[in-house]
Amino acid sequence: MPRRRPGALRAERGTYEDRRPPAWTRPLPPVDRLPPDAAAAAHWGRPGRAAEIAELLGRYRSFLRRPGSRLLLGPSPCPGCPGCARDDIAVVRDELADLQRALPPVARTALGRVLRGLDAQFLRRTLPDPDPPADRWADWRGRPRAWWHQRLYEDT
């Protein structure tokens, strides 16, 4: 019987299935409020992007810490620029959703728990837009946008 190659065995098992992050990820810095195992998995699954996750969560939390009972989203002055686009909190939430999908399962579920709490507060403190423009309903490909794009902005 021929021997099966290690790569074929790993491919059959899946990318992160039943695997723990290596030991070198343990001493890496924590990622926002994720548990240590989830932070290690984030460092391992998305090398160099864990700091970005922490920075995006910090922006999301600072928006939610603003005074007042109701919050209005602010449009980005320059949506084409990657740095300026993050002035719009809906773009920040989109990037967090994209990063969450790319994480290993342990980090994905931990980040999902954190985002559920922040999203509940976001939903409670922002108002739905009764008549959003067409570009907030669908992206340039025609796919529907997430619910956080259909909240009331300052300019409306």
Side-chain angles (χ1 to χ4, degrees), residues 63-92:
F63 173 77
L64 293 173
R65 269 191 239 117
R66 288 183 182 173
S69 61
R70 294 292 176 194
L71 298 174
L72 296 174
L73 281 68
S76 173
C78 177
C81 172
C84 295
R86 288 183 175 176
D87 291 342
D88 184 359
I89 204 65
V91 173
V92 169

Side-chain angles (χ1 to χ4, degrees), residues 15-28:
T15 311
Y16 300 111
E17 198 68 34
D18 298 329
R19 290 172 48 190
R20 293 179 53 98
W24 59 265
T25 59
R26 300 283 177 218
L28 290 172

Side-chain angles (χ1 to χ4, degrees), residues 5 7 47 83 88 91 100 104 116 148 151:
R5 296 182 176 259
D88 184 359
V91 173
Q100 181 188 10
R116 266 193 302 278
W148 50 82
R151 307 309 282 177

